[in-house]
Amino acid sequence: MKKKIALVFGITGQDGSYLAELLLNKNYIVYGVKRRTSLIHTTRIDHIYKDVHLKSNLILRYGDVTDFSNVFNLIYQIKPDEVYNLAAQSNVGVSFELAEYTAQTDSIGTLRILEAIRILDKKRKMKFYQASTSEIFGNSPEKPYNEKSKFEPVSPYGTAKLYSYWMTRNYRDAYSIFASNGILFNHESPRRGENFISRKTIIGLIKVLKGEQKCLHLGNLKSKRDWGHAKEFVNAQWKILQHKIPDDFVIATGKNHSVKDLVNLVLKKLNIKHKWKKDKNNLEYAIALNNIGQIKKSQIIVKQEKRYFRPNEVHNLIGDSRKAKKILKWKSMINFEQLISEMIDSDLKSIM
Ligand code: NAP
Ligand code: G4F
């Protein structure tokens, strides 16, 4: 039987690496798009990538979704059965500083791929997956969020992703392209970028324990997120494209926790006893109640800092993925505590 060909934009990212593993295990030929960077950073996929001169089912090509001729040529030459658009400037906080670049990548980048498919795939055989996000719900009041909830994004990232969500639907309706949105809630893993809250907290507190960093500085501790495991969430991405019709699905665990819960859990797992206090500006900080590692009793180990607060914030995200459960038979199995434990174990191994 002819092997299926997948083209993955964003293969060097957290999800791209897990998705590539999943597709290779399913016997796909996987083309991954990596950006030109001054230092090569393919660490997340090095374990599955063989030398370009060896025969391999994983082939890397240079590319960038901000370059239409590149996107067009990749799709023209590779003729994939499935296209996964995971490429994005994916940091919400950074999107306030790089608003235009975020739009170029997260909005127009998607349009470039959709246009290339529209022009090249006359027989409408290609399937397209768009990495949409719970950020498109913003602070919309009715929770938990499902496929029918109102969209009210509150960041350049969320707004850029909402454009892509609608373009994916528009191209499906106007041109009969098999184009689907996965509206994924936060998902983490040992491969999560180091400036997202889960990884930043874990790495930061391990460094504080080792005496390599004095204190962990954070922003908003009150916001809540529905955190799942990336490995399970990429399985949903694949399932969305295997469904007989193109459609949009919310992918979430259905449980949420605050950032403070996350910090408390990491501290507990690292056996650091602590107490929260407030300073004169109402900013919170945590002090150690025991001597452990290089930490001394009464040392400030976590501190809120104004510069880590965002100009606007999504306060409370929680998803309802009953549609995915019913139609795709997808369900999250790894809970918050298991996820964080796996991440801590992995970072303890590499940092200690
Ligand atoms: P990630 O780790 O930040 O990976 C993003 C990927 O996109 C990286 O491979 C990155 O390349 C690539 N990229 C960035 N700009 C690009 C450009 N202009 N052209 C081509 N590639 C570009 O993000 P992730 O956590 O894997 O998330 C994957 C996708 O799902 C993203 O679109 C994200 O917005 C979305 N999403 C993520 C979550 C989540 O909680 N993780 C939830 C909902 C939706 P470099 O390695 O060169 O930077
Ligand atoms: O880990 P975060 O940066 O993730 P955020 O903003 O929820 O976005 C992630 O999930 C989205 C899906 O909902 C994705 F679409 C997006 O690509 C990304 O993967 O922040 C989580 C929370 C926020 O409320 C933030 O304000 O943690 C709060 N936070 C507090 N201090 C911090 C910090 N976030 C970061 N990154 N760094 C801090 O120091």
Side-chain angles (χ1 to χ4, degrees), residues 10-16 35 37 41 44 63-66 85-90 101 105 131-134 157 161 184-188 192 196:
I11 197 158
T12 55
Q14 171 188 253
D15 288 12
R35 294 196 287 176
T37 44
H41 63 292
R44 290 185 177 111
D64 199 301
V65 295
T66 59
N85 179 26
L86 311 181
Q89 189 302 94
S90 70
Y101 174 71
T105 306
S132 190
T133 163
S134 43
Y157 170 82
K161 283 283 190 175
L184 272 54
F185 283 61
N186 297 51
H187 45 281
E188 321 291 306
R192 184 59 144 154
F196 294 94

Coordinates of all heavy atoms in Angstrom, one line a residue, residues 10-16 35 37 41 44 63-66 85-90 101 105 131-134 157 161 184-188 192 196, ligand 1:
G10 N 6.2 23.6 11.4 CA 6.4 23.7 12.8 C 6.9 22.5 13.4 O 6.6 22.2 14.6
I11 N 7.6 21.7 12.6 CA 8.1 20.3 13.1 C 9.1 20.5 14.3 O 9.2 19.5 15.1 CB 8.6 19.5 12.0 CG1 8.7 18.0 12.4 CG2 10.0 20.0 11.5 CD1 8.7 17.0 11.3
T12 N 9.8 21.6 14.3 CA 10.8 21.7 15.4 C 10.2 22.1 16.7 O 10.9 22.2 17.7 CB 11.9 22.8 15.0 OG1 11.2 24.0 14.7 CG2 12.7 22.3 13.8
G13 N 8.9 22.4 16.8 CA 8.3 22.8 18.0 C 7.9 21.6 18.9 O 8.1 20.4 18.5
Q14 N 7.3 21.9 20.0 CA 6.9 20.8 21.0 C 5.9 19.9 20.2 O 6.2 18.7 20.2 CB 6.1 21.5 22.2 CG 5.4 20.4 23.0 CD 4.5 21.0 24.1 OE1 4.9 20.9 25.3 NE2 3.4 21.5 23.7
D15 N 4.8 20.4 19.7 CA 3.8 19.5 19.1 C 4.4 18.8 17.8 O 4.1 17.7 17.6 CB 2.6 20.3 18.7 CG 1.7 20.7 19.9 OD1 2.3 20.6 21.0 OD2 0.6 21.2 19.7
G16 N 5.1 19.6 17.0 CA 5.7 19.1 15.8 C 6.5 17.8 16.0 O 6.4 16.8 15.3
R35 N 12.9 26.3 10.0 CA 13.3 27.6 9.6 C 14.8 27.7 9.6 O 15.5 27.0 10.3 CB 12.8 28.6 10.6 CG 11.3 28.7 10.7 CD 10.9 30.0 11.4 NE 11.1 29.9 12.8 CZ 10.8 30.9 13.6 NH1 10.4 32.1 13.1 NH2 11.0 30.8 14.9
T37 N 18.0 29.2 10.8 CA 18.4 30.0 12.0 C 19.9 30.0 12.1 O 20.6 29.1 11.5 CB 17.8 29.3 13.3 OG1 18.0 27.9 13.2 CG2 16.4 29.6 13.5
H41 N 18.6 24.3 15.6 CA 18.0 23.9 16.8 C 16.9 22.9 16.5 O 15.7 23.1 16.4 CB 17.4 25.1 17.5 CG 16.3 25.8 16.7 ND1 16.6 26.5 15.6 CD2 15.0 25.9 16.9 CE1 15.5 27.0 15.1 NE2 14.5 26.6 15.9
R44 N 14.5 18.8 19.4 CA 13.3 18.0 19.7 C 13.1 16.9 18.8 O 12.4 15.9 19.1 CB 12.1 18.9 19.7 CG 12.0 19.9 20.9 CD 10.7 20.7 20.7 NE 10.4 21.6 21.8 CZ 10.4 22.9 21.6 NH1 10.6 23.5 20.4 NH2 10.1 23.7 22.6
G63 N 12.0 26.2 5.3 CA 10.8 27.0 4.9 C 10.4 28.0 6.0 O 11.0 28.0 7.1
D64 N 9.4 28.8 5.6 CA 8.9 29.8 6.5 C 7.5 30.2 6.0 O 7.4 30.5 4.8 CB 9.8 31.0 6.5 CG 9.6 31.9 7.7 OD1 8.5 32.4 7.9 OD2 10.6 32.1 8.5
V65 N 6.5 30.2 6.9 CA 5.2 30.5 6.5 C 5.0 32.0 6.1 O 3.9 32.4 5.6 CB 4.1 30.0 7.5 CG1 4.1 28.5 7.6 CG2 4.2 30.7 8.8
T66 N 6.0 32.8 6.3 CA 5.9 34.2 5.9 C 6.4 34.4 4.5 O 6.4 35.5 3.9 CB 6.8 35.1 6.8 OG1 8.1 34.7 6.8 CG2 6.3 35.1 8.2
N85 N -0.6 22.6 10.0 CA 0.0 23.9 10.2 C 0.1 24.1 11.7 O -0.8 24.7 12.3 CB -0.9 25.0 9.6 CG -0.3 26.4 9.9 OD1 1.0 26.5 10.1 ND2 -1.1 27.4 9.9
L86 N 1.3 23.8 12.2 CA 1.6 24.0 13.6 C 2.5 25.2 13.8 O 2.8 25.6 14.9 CB 2.3 22.8 14.2 CG 1.6 21.4 14.0 CD1 2.4 20.3 14.7 CD2 0.2 21.4 14.5
A87 N 2.9 25.8 12.6 CA 3.8 26.9 12.7 C 3.2 28.2 13.3 O 2.1 28.6 12.9 CB 4.3 27.3 11.3
A88 N 3.9 28.8 14.3 CA 3.3 30.0 14.9 C 4.3 30.7 15.8 O 5.2 30.0 16.3 CB 2.1 29.7 15.7
Q89 N 4.2 32.0 15.9 CA 4.8 32.7 17.1 C 3.8 32.3 18.2 O 2.7 32.9 18.2 CB 4.8 34.2 16.7 CG 5.6 35.0 17.7 CD 5.1 34.9 19.2 OE1 5.6 34.1 20.0 NE2 4.1 35.8 19.5
S90 N 4.1 31.4 19.0 CA 3.1 30.8 19.9 C 3.0 31.4 21.3 O 2.3 30.9 22.1 CB 3.3 29.3 20.0 OG 4.5 29.0 20.7
Y101 N 4.5 40.9 13.6 CA 5.1 39.6 13.2 C 4.2 38.4 13.5 O 4.0 37.5 12.7 CB 6.4 39.4 13.9 CG 7.0 38.1 13.6 CD1 7.5 37.8 12.3 CD2 7.0 37.1 14.5 CE1 8.0 36.5 12.0 CE2 7.5 35.8 14.3 CZ 8.0 35.5 13.0 OH 8.4 34.3 12.7
T105 N 2.7 35.7 10.8 CA 3.0 34.2 10.9 C 1.6 33.5 11.2 O 1.3 32.5 10.5 CB 4.0 33.9 12.1 OG1 5.1 34.7 11.8 CG2 4.3 32.5 12.2
A131 N -3.8 24.6 13.6 CA -3.6 24.6 15.1 C -4.2 25.8 15.7 O -3.6 26.8 16.0 CB -2.1 24.6 15.4
S132 N -5.5 25.7 16.0 CA -6.2 26.7 16.6 C -6.1 26.6 18.2 O -5.5 25.6 18.6 CB -7.7 26.8 16.2 OG -8.3 27.9 16.7
T133 N -6.6 27.5 18.9 CA -6.3 27.6 20.3 C -7.4 28.1 21.2 O -8.3 28.9 20.7 CB -5.1 28.6 20.5 OG1 -5.0 29.0 21.8 CG2 -5.2 29.9 19.6
S134 N -7.4 27.7 22.4 CA -8.4 28.2 23.4 C -8.3 29.7 23.6 O -9.2 30.4 24.1 CB -8.3 27.5 24.7 OG -6.9 27.4 25.1
Y157 N -2.0 37.6 19.7 CA -1.9 36.1 19.4 C -3.3 35.5 19.2 O -3.6 34.9 18.1 CB -1.2 35.4 20.5 CG -1.2 33.9 20.3 CD1 -0.3 33.2 19.5 CD2 -2.2 33.1 21.1 CE1 -0.4 31.8 19.4 CE2 -2.2 31.7 21.0 CZ -1.3 31.1 20.1 OH -1.4 29.7 20.0
K161 N -4.9 34.2 15.7 CA -5.3 32.8 15.5 C -6.8 32.7 15.2 O -7.3 31.8 14.5 CB -5.1 32.1 16.8 CG -3.6 31.7 17.0 CD -3.2 30.5 16.2 CE -1.9 29.9 16.5 NZ -1.5 28.7 15.8
L184 N -7.2 23.7 20.5 CA -6.6 23.0 21.6 C -6.3 23.9 22.8 O -5.9 25.1 22.7 CB -5.2 22.4 21.2 CG -5.3 21.0 20.6 CD1 -6.3 20.9 19.4 CD2 -3.9 20.5 20.1
F185 N -6.6 23.4 24.0 CA -6.3 24.1 25.2 C -4.8 23.8 25.6 O -4.2 23.0 24.9 CB -7.3 23.7 26.4 CG -8.6 24.3 26.2 CD1 -9.4 24.1 25.1 CD2 -9.1 25.2 27.2 CE1 -10.6 24.7 24.9 CE2 -10.3 25.8 27.0 CZ -11.1 25.6 25.9
N186 N -4.3 24.5 26.6 CA -2.9 24.4 26.9 C -2.4 23.0 27.1 O -3.1 22.2 27.7 CB -2.6 25.1 28.2 CG -2.9 26.6 28.2 OD1 -4.0 27.0 27.8 ND2 -1.9 27.4 28.6
H187 N -1.3 22.7 26.4 CA -0.7 21.3 26.6 C 0.8 21.5 26.7 O 1.4 22.2 26.0 CB -1.2 20.4 25.5 CG -1.1 20.9 24.1 ND1 -2.1 21.8 23.6 CD2 -0.2 20.8 23.1 CE1 -1.7 22.1 22.4 NE2 -0.6 21.5 22.1
E188 N 1.3 20.7 27.6 CA 2.7 20.8 28.0 C 3.4 19.5 27.9 O 2.7 18.5 27.7 CB 2.7 21.3 29.5 CG 1.7 22.3 29.9 CD 1.9 23.7 29.3 OE1 3.0 24.2 29.4 OE2 1.0 24.2 28.7
R192 N 8.3 21.2 26.3 CA 7.7 22.6 26.3 C 8.7 23.6 26.2 O 9.8 23.5 26.9 CB 6.8 22.7 27.5 CG 6.0 24.0 27.6 CD 5.1 24.2 26.5 NE 3.8 24.8 26.8 CZ 3.0 25.5 26.0 NH1 3.4 25.6 24.7 NH2 1.9 26.0 26.4
F196 N 7.3 29.2 28.7 CA 5.9 29.1 29.1 C 5.9 28.7 30.6 O 6.9 28.2 31.2 CB 5.3 27.9 28.3 CG 5.2 28.3 26.8 CD1 6.2 28.0 25.9 CD2 4.1 29.1 26.3 CE1 6.1 28.3 24.6 CE2 4.1 29.5 25.0 CZ 5.1 29.1 24.1
Ligands
NAP1 P1 6.1 25.9 19.6 O1 6.8 24.9 20.4 O2 6.3 27.3 19.8 O3 6.4 25.5 18.1 C1 6.1 26.4 17.0 C2 6.7 25.9 15.8 O4 6.4 26.9 14.7 C3 8.2 25.8 15.8 O5 8.7 24.7 15.1 C4 8.7 27.1 15.2 O6 10.0 27.1 14.6 C5 7.6 27.2 14.1 N1 7.6 28.6 13.5 C6 7.5 29.8 14.1 N2 7.4 30.8 13.2 C7 7.5 30.2 12.0 C8 7.4 30.7 10.7 N3 7.4 32.0 10.4 N4 7.5 29.8 9.7 C9 7.6 28.5 9.9 N5 7.6 27.9 11.1 C10 7.6 28.8 12.2 O7 4.5 25.6 19.7 P2 3.7 24.3 20.1 O8 3.4 24.4 21.6 O9 4.4 23.1 19.5 O10 2.3 24.6 19.4 C11 2.1 24.2 18.1 C12 1.0 25.0 17.5 O11 -0.2 24.9 18.3 C13 1.2 26.5 17.4 O12 0.6 27.0 16.3 C14 0.5 27.0 18.7 O13 0.2 28.4 18.5 C15 -0.7 26.1 18.7 N6 -1.2 25.9 20.0 C16 -0.4 25.5 21.1 C17 -1.0 25.2 22.3 C18 -0.1 24.7 23.5 O14 -0.6 24.8 24.6 N7 1.1 24.2 23.2 C19 -2.4 25.3 22.5 C20 -3.1 25.7 21.4 C21 -2.6 26.0 20.2 P3 11.3 27.4 15.5 O15 11.6 26.1 16.3 O16 12.3 27.7 14.5 O17 10.9 28.5 16.5

